[in-house]
Amino acid sequence: MNKNKDGFIVAFWERIFKGLSYVSLFAFVSFLRKKYFKKVGKKDSGMYGFVECWVIGNLAASICASLLVYHTTWMWFAVIVSTYGILRIFEIVVYQINVMLFDPYRAMKEKREYAIKSPTRLVVLLMHNYVEIIFWFTTATIFYLNSNGLIEYSWAYYLQINFLCVTTFDTSEMIHRLSGESLFLMVTFFESVVGFLMTVISLARFIGLLPSVKSIDKM
């Protein structure tokens, strides 16, 4: 029997993204959490609440980081939070691709049922991730411009152009303001790709899973 009758491309990328899921801040924190509960001899029964606290905490951190990087002159602080933000963006993208594509595939291979806790909860968490990504990109943009002496506008302006880049994939304003900065233009392209993944693929996919609402009018 030909073992490759179903092809190899899905299995190949499933292994890639399974490996990438272990290279994340959340995986490290979860590992420490499991070790703690094992050490104290208690069952970890609050994973859903932990995930929600992780998402909300990181959203708050991204907002604070963008404001602090804009107003502070501490370059060491800006480097740390910008690096953390990039790692968080990477983590979110990998997680969303796994949930959308490869978690159901893994469940099918292992002959087990795949189910999510709640489509409403998933969409709400995804919206938190979406906003968080915008603030982390804003943080990275401000850090880069500040380190090169190119800050000219308000914090709200840089938030706005990053919002447009992520939500509408409009990079024109970023390219105009960063003309000649080839390194950061690559980051701008990556930002629009992340926005595409979050908007067109993840958000559109999971909004379709929301429970239907009864209509008063029949027509």
Side-chain angles (χ1 to χ4, degrees):
M1 183 182 292
N2 184 4
K3 293 183 179 179
N4 293 323
K5 64 178 182 178
D6 296 325
F8 66 90
I9 193 69
V10 176
F12 171 77
W13 284 108
E14 183 271 329
R15 292 190 189 97
I16 294 291
F17 277 91
K18 185 175 183 179
L20 291 175
S21 68
Y22 294 118
V23 188
S24 71
L25 300 164
F26 180 74
F28 178 69
V29 173
S30 296
F31 171 75
L32 295 178
R33 177 184 169 86
K34 289 177 182 178
K35 279 194 78 173
Y36 167 76
F37 277 99
K38 187 175 180 180
K39 184 176 180 180
V40 298
K42 292 183 179 180
K43 185 179 179 181
D44 183 4
S45 57
M47 192 61 187
Y48 289 122
F50 172 68
V51 170
E52 290 165 7
C53 289
W54 176 258
V55 171
I56 293 172
N58 275 289
L59 172 59
S62 67
I63 297 170
C64 293
S66 64
L67 285 165
L68 290 171
V69 168
Y70 182 81
H71 291 288
T72 188
T73 56
W74 300 338
M75 291 306 296
W76 61 269
F77 174 78
V79 170
I80 291 172
V81 296
S82 297
T83 302
Y84 181 87
I86 291 169
L87 291 174
R88 268 297 290 165
I89 293 168
F90 170 80
E91 176 183 297
I92 290 170
V93 170
V94 170
Y95 175 79
Q96 292 300 330
I97 291 175
N98 272 316
V99 169
M100 181 179 55
L101 296 176
F102 299 121
D103 284 348
Y105 172 76
R106 292 177 191 121
M108 182 190 68
K109 279 203 313 180
E110 297 167 8
K111 293 182 172 54
R112 57 179 172 83
E113 184 182 3
Y114 176 75
I116 59 175
K117 181 172 175 60
S118 161
T120 303
R121 175 180 178 274
L122 190 60
V123 170
V124 170
L125 289 175
L126 179 58
M127 293 299 296
H128 280 77
N129 287 157
Y130 198 73
V131 175
E132 181 189 345
I133 281 175
I134 294 171
F135 278 102
W136 283 130
F137 273 120
T138 302
T139 301
T141 301
I142 293 171
F143 161 63
Y144 183 83
L145 294 176
N146 202 18
S147 63
N148 288 277
L150 299 173
I151 289 288
E152 299 177 5
Y153 303 96
S154 68
W155 170 84
Y157 171 80
Y158 295 113
L159 175 62
Q160 177 187 346
I161 63 174
N162 280 279
F163 174 83
L164 290 174
C165 192
V166 172
T167 58
T168 68
F169 327 129
D170 181 8
T171 61
S172 59
E173 190 66 19
M174 294 279 280
I175 291 173
H176 174 67
R177 297 301 174 194
L178 301 170
S179 179
E181 303 295 327
S182 57
L183 175 62
F184 204 79
L185 291 180
M186 292 176 62
V187 177
T188 302
F189 171 74
F190 175 67
E191 184 173 355
S192 63
V193 171
V194 170
F196 174 80
L197 288 172
M198 295 293 289
T199 305
V200 177
I201 300 178
S202 293
L203 195 56
R205 166 73 174 88
F206 293 123
I207 282 180
L209 297 178
L210 290 173
S212 59
V213 179
K214 288 185 178 180
S215 173
I216 295 174
D217 295 331
K218 299 300 181 183
M219 297 294 292

